[in-house]
Amino acid sequence: MSKSYRVAILGATGAVGQELLELLENRNFPVSDLRLLASERSAGRTLPFQGENLPVEAVSEKAFENADLVLASAGGSISKTWAPKAVAAGAVVIDNSSAFRMNPEVPLVVPEVNPEAAANHKGIIANPNCTTILMTVAVWPLHKVSPVQRLVAATYQSASGAGAKAMEEVKIQASAILEGKQPVAEVFPYPLAFNVFPHNTPLNEFGYCEEEMKMVNETRKIFGSQDIRITATCVRVPVLRSHSEAINLEFEVPFSPEKAREVLSQAPGVKLVEDWKANHFPMPIEATGRDEVLVGRIRQDISNSCGLELWLCGDQVRKGAALNAIQIAELLVAKNLLKGAVAVSH
Amino acid sequence: MSKSYRVAILGATGAVGQELLELLENRNFPVSDLRLLASERSAGRTLPFQGENLPVEAVSEKAFENADLVLASAGGSISKTWAPKAVAAGAVVIDNSSAFRMNPEVPLVVPEVNPEAAANHKGIIANPNCTTILMTVAVWPLHKVSPVQRLVAATYQSASGAGAKAMEEVKIQASAILEGKQPVAEVFPYPLAFNVFPHNTPLNEFGYCEEEMKMVNETRKIFGSQDIRITATCVRVPVLRSHSEAINLEFEVPFSPEKAREVLSQAPGVKLVEDWKANHFPMPIEATGRDEVLVGRIRQDISNSCGLELWLCGDQVRKGAALNAIQIAELLVAKNLLKGAVAVSH
């Protein structure tokens, strides 16, 4: 007896919001009613869903009345304000912001890694940081075989991580540079077209930026392992969409590349991309629009007998955000953990 | 009593060749005669030097007659053919290709690191790989204080590393993408505009590409330390010029970021770029055209009490290639190790 659900998307007009909308439709999520919520500024617009044009409403307390599921992707302060109200109204909130991720009462879930955590929610389930999701999907299958002791990451993060406006800005900057003009930076602090720079999130007293600390702390929480030692250097690159990561792993004992390949070729959410003869490995342009995290260049680290090197790319907007949230929702549906109503067959 | 020298540039029309020409002029290298050598294809062109237009000649054995110094930057196979002939003709060859770098009879020199090695040449001195030069300039001052035990690098390498044509290709690809067209890749195996991919040099049986092994083997030779354990992931990014590198260092004992900053602020060829409040660190667009390697984001590695993280950018065509070669030549001049003739004052 299948149920269907009243869903609200908070932040429907953003890059992730639109991806959520597309995935709800494409994955046939059992939606009986869908409300698109955004700021006052976006209210009045319409967005297409299942052949209809749905209106975008300004978020308000009333908007969550009767909602079974709220998919929130409108930034931390918006989530802090509205998620508790949505929960009070009886909804389960899957929140894509960083607002609740490290709250010990809030599960932080990557369905390929810790699906069981989702059941222990108290109304809010947090969707991890994009870079962290992509990394955990690729590293968890190896960690299960032999616990990772230490992880050194360097990221190559696309403009999409900063939203649709950032993607547009990079294109405008590239155009300007190609015409011999000075690029203008507004979303990012520096021009990103034909440039790279360390991730522009606030730095802590130890010199790590927020994005790097998310990779450290969220990975530990998702893996349920406070022992794993992680360091990261997060860098923006002029790619429109999909992040890449160079990952150096240290195990307690040697982990052969052959074994890693065998493990990863069967891992959920992972696709091995390794054509050594053609020098063809994961690339962001090939990861874009795909559900899987592409993993390749798996090598024994020649500087460490217990080390492995790997390279991954994943669609930050999709698996790094919207898809992961939808997968969490699907988990809740499968375990009958959402209210909903028995669907009436048409 | 100053001397001046008969210089030949082999590969004068390439990106590095043109930079060599510019640096010879700007640094007032004591040139009495300059011959520009290239392939048959480029012969007949002229290039400006000190207000004159010098002809480009096809390389031939005659071209090296009477040369005191040959600056070669025309690729490995050209160097293998012509460098021994130039040496036989009495010249010292500073070779920018990889042809002789690992030859135990050939010094591999970064003037800020191992200037003393230059004196032991037998006619050929090798200029290291660009990525390696930039890294060694930044890491050597720390290594001298406390030997580096292990180094994990991830690179962000610009198109210029593959020459002037590659830079042009990236621009043409970016234009095409901005116009909604398919980008065409000819110099690189895959489109680089708005994309990144692992460095497209041949892979060895352990899955490391040539560029990565250059970083490993050349750094060991330059540092005179076969013990230092190095691993690298080399990646192309859509930047026109200047390479960036995320470097994770392991020492035997803790190395405080404050001490590292103190050491690097006095290191030759290094410029610290660290404005933590403005989130302003080295960027390739700011490294381009500069002599120094820009270093920043120096942090204690939170995953390793004896670890340091740092980020660097350097102009691959300048310090990564042409400037380093000119500095080697200047070293030879300073030590009176080049033939030359007493300069006649004008």
Side-chain angles (χ1 to χ4, degrees):
Chain A
M1 209 169 57
S2 66
K3 295 199 318 191
S4 70
Y5 305 90
R6 287 162 301 191
V7 180
I9 299 180
L10 177 55
T13 55
V16 175
Q18 301 212 26
E19 190 79 11
L20 284 166
L21 202 61
E22 196 185 309
L23 289 168
L24 283 177
E25 179 164 338
N26 293 350
R27 294 171 71 93
N28 296 310
F29 191 84
V31 177
S32 60
D33 179 64
L34 181 62
R35 296 183 82 163
L36 305 182
L37 309 176
S39 65
E40 285 281 3
R41 201 161 27 87
S42 297
R45 286 178 55 182
T46 63
L47 292 170
F49 181 70
Q50 293 181 339
E52 282 183 72
N53 282 317
L54 299 185
V56 177
E57 306 166 55
V59 60
S60 69
E61 232 152 312
K62 263 188 66 178
F64 301 113
E65 272 175 17
N66 304 318
D68 300 313
L69 174 68
V70 174
L71 301 165
S73 188
S77 62
I78 307 282
S79 284
K80 272 186 190 150
T81 304
W82 295 103
K85 297 188 203 283
V87 172
V92 173
V93 177
I94 300 174
D95 181 36
N96 194 47
S97 84
S98 62
F100 304 102
R101 287 184 193 147
M102 295 313 295
N103 183 326
E105 305 226 317
V106 174
L108 184 66
V109 179
V110 177
E112 290 86 348
V113 178
N114 61 341
E116 68 291 346
N120 302 322
H121 73 82
K122 294 179 179 173
I124 300 173
I125 298 172
N127 207 39
N129 163 269
C130 52
T131 316
T132 308
I133 292 176
L134 303 177
M135 184 170 78
T136 55
V137 167
V139 173
W140 174 252
L142 305 172
H143 182 75
K144 269 199 301 184
V145 172
S146 179
V148 172
Q149 306 295 306
R150 180 165 172 253
L151 186 161
V152 180
T155 72
Y156 301 68
Q157 297 185 231
S158 66
S160 62
K165 272 187 198 164
M167 293 169 75
E168 206 44 47
E169 176 165 294
V170 173
K171 287 195 228 172
I172 293 167
Q173 289 171 350
S175 262
I177 291 167
L178 292 170
E179 289 167 15
K181 296 181 198 154
Q182 281 297 316
V184 177
E186 285 173 352
V187 179
F188 289 120
Y190 307 103
L192 184 56
F194 302 114
N195 194 26
V196 306
F197 50 77
H199 200 277
N200 53 299
T201 37
L203 296 147
N204 71 12
E205 59 183 307
F206 306 109
Y208 280 71
C209 73
E210 263 182 14
E211 185 80 358
E212 289 158 356
M213 291 315 298
K214 287 174 185 174
M215 291 181 78
V216 173
N217 295 324
E218 295 183 20
T219 300
R220 286 178 169 170
K221 179 167 175 175
I222 296 162
F223 280 14
S225 160
Q226 290 306 309
D227 299 336
I228 180 171
R229 291 176 292 133
I230 301 172
T231 182
T233 299
C234 288
V235 179
R236 296 264 191 214
V237 296
V239 166
L240 296 175
R241 186 162 158 163
S242 292
H243 290 348
S244 307
E245 306 178 26
I247 309 280
N248 183 283
L249 297 169
E250 276 180 56
F251 299 91
E252 207 160 28
V253 289
F255 200 131
S256 79
E258 295 70 32
K259 177 74 182 166
R261 243 168 241 128
E262 190 194 315
V263 169
L264 288 172
S265 65
Q266 294 161 27
V270 171
K271 180 163 173 54
L272 271 185
V273 177
E274 287 198 322
D275 183 340
W276 295 86
K277 279 190 188 142
N279 218 319
H280 182 227
F281 302 106
M283 293 191 282
I285 53 169
E286 293 188 351
T288 294
R290 294 194 62 147
D291 290 351
E292 302 96 340
V293 177
L294 311 184
V295 182
R297 287 215 73 200
I298 300 167
R299 300 167 275 161
Q300 150 89 55
D301 174 352
I302 53 171
S303 79
N304 179 354
S305 62
C306 297
L308 264 188
E309 292 267 23
L310 60 83
W311 168 254
L312 66 85
C313 298
D315 188 327
Q316 168 278 326
V317 182
R318 188 174 284 243
K319 179 56 188 169
L323 174 62
N324 198 73
I326 298 291
Q327 286 175 306
I328 295 171
E330 289 169 347
L331 259 179
L332 298 177
V333 168
K335 294 184 180 173
N336 199 17
L337 291 169
L338 279 184
K339 269 189 310 184
V342 174
V344 181
S345 47
H346 297 283
Chain B
M1 208 169 58
S2 67
K3 295 200 317 191
S4 70
Y5 305 88
R6 287 161 302 191
V7 179
I9 299 180
L10 177 55
T13 56
V16 175
Q18 302 211 26
E19 191 79 11
L20 284 167
L21 203 61
E22 197 185 309
L23 288 168
L24 282 177
E25 179 164 338
N26 293 350
R27 294 172 72 93
N28 295 312
F29 190 86
V31 177
S32 59
D33 179 63
L34 181 62
R35 296 183 83 164
L36 306 181
L37 309 176
S39 64
E40 285 282 1
R41 202 162 25 88
S42 296
R45 287 178 56 182
T46 63
L47 292 171
F49 181 70
Q50 294 181 338
E52 282 182 72
N53 282 316
L54 300 186
V56 177
E57 306 167 55
V59 60
S60 68
E61 231 153 312
K62 264 188 67 178
F64 301 113
E65 272 175 17
N66 304 318
D68 299 313
L69 173 68
V70 174
L71 300 165
S73 188
S77 62
I78 306 283
S79 284
K80 272 186 192 151
T81 303
W82 294 104
K85 295 187 207 282
V87 172
V92 173
V93 177
I94 300 174
D95 182 35
N96 195 48
S97 83
S98 61
F100 303 102
R101 288 183 192 148
M102 296 311 295
N103 182 327
E105 305 226 316
V106 173
L108 184 65
V109 178
V110 177
E112 290 86 349
V113 179
N114 61 341
E116 69 291 346
N120 302 321
H121 73 83
K122 294 179 177 171
I124 301 174
I125 298 172
N127 207 40
N129 163 269
C130 51
T131 316
T132 308
I133 291 176
L134 303 176
M135 182 171 80
T136 55
V137 167
V139 174
W140 174 252
L142 305 173
H143 182 74
K144 268 198 302 183
V145 172
S146 178
V148 173
Q149 305 294 305
R150 180 164 171 254
L151 187 161
V152 180
T155 71
Y156 302 68
Q157 297 185 232
S158 66
S160 62
K165 273 187 197 163
M167 292 169 74
E168 206 43 47
E169 177 165 292
V170 173
K171 288 196 228 171
I172 293 166
Q173 289 171 349
S175 263
I177 291 167
L178 292 170
E179 290 167 15
K181 296 181 198 155
Q182 282 297 317
V184 178
E186 284 173 352
V187 179
F188 289 120
Y190 306 102
L192 184 56
F194 303 113
N195 194 28
V196 305
F197 50 76
H199 200 278
N200 53 299
T201 36
L203 297 146
N204 71 14
E205 59 184 305
F206 306 109
Y208 280 70
C209 72
E210 263 182 15
E211 185 81 358
E212 290 158 354
M213 292 314 298
K214 286 174 185 174
M215 292 180 78
V216 174
N217 295 324
E218 294 184 18
T219 300
R220 286 177 169 170
K221 179 167 176 176
I222 296 162
F223 280 14
S225 160
Q226 289 306 308
D227 298 337
I228 180 170
R229 291 175 292 133
I230 302 172
T231 182
T233 300
C234 289
V235 179
R236 295 266 190 212
V237 296
V239 166
L240 295 175
R241 186 162 159 163
S242 291
H243 290 349
S244 306
E245 306 178 26
I247 309 280
N248 183 283
L249 297 169
E250 276 180 57
F251 299 91
E252 208 160 27
V253 290
F255 200 130
S256 79
E258 295 70 31
K259 177 74 182 166
R261 243 169 241 129
E262 189 193 316
V263 168
L264 288 172
S265 65
Q266 294 162 26
V270 171
K271 179 163 175 57
L272 271 185
V273 177
E274 286 198 322
D275 182 341
W276 294 86
K277 279 191 187 140
N279 218 318
H280 182 227
F281 302 106
M283 293 192 282
I285 52 168
E286 294 188 352
T288 294
R290 293 194 63 148
D291 289 351
E292 303 95 340
V293 176
L294 310 184
V295 182
R297 288 215 71 201
I298 299 166
R299 301 167 274 161
Q300 149 89 56
D301 175 351
I302 54 172
S303 78
N304 179 355
S305 62
C306 297
L308 265 188
E309 292 267 24
L310 60 83
W311 168 253
L312 66 85
C313 297
D315 188 328
Q316 169 277 327
V317 182
R318 187 174 283 243
K319 179 57 188 169
L323 174 62
N324 198 74
I326 298 291
Q327 287 175 306
I328 295 172
E330 289 169 347
L331 260 180
L332 297 177
V333 168
K335 294 184 180 173
N336 199 18
L337 291 168
L338 278 184
K339 271 189 310 183
V342 175
V344 182
S345 48
H346 297 282

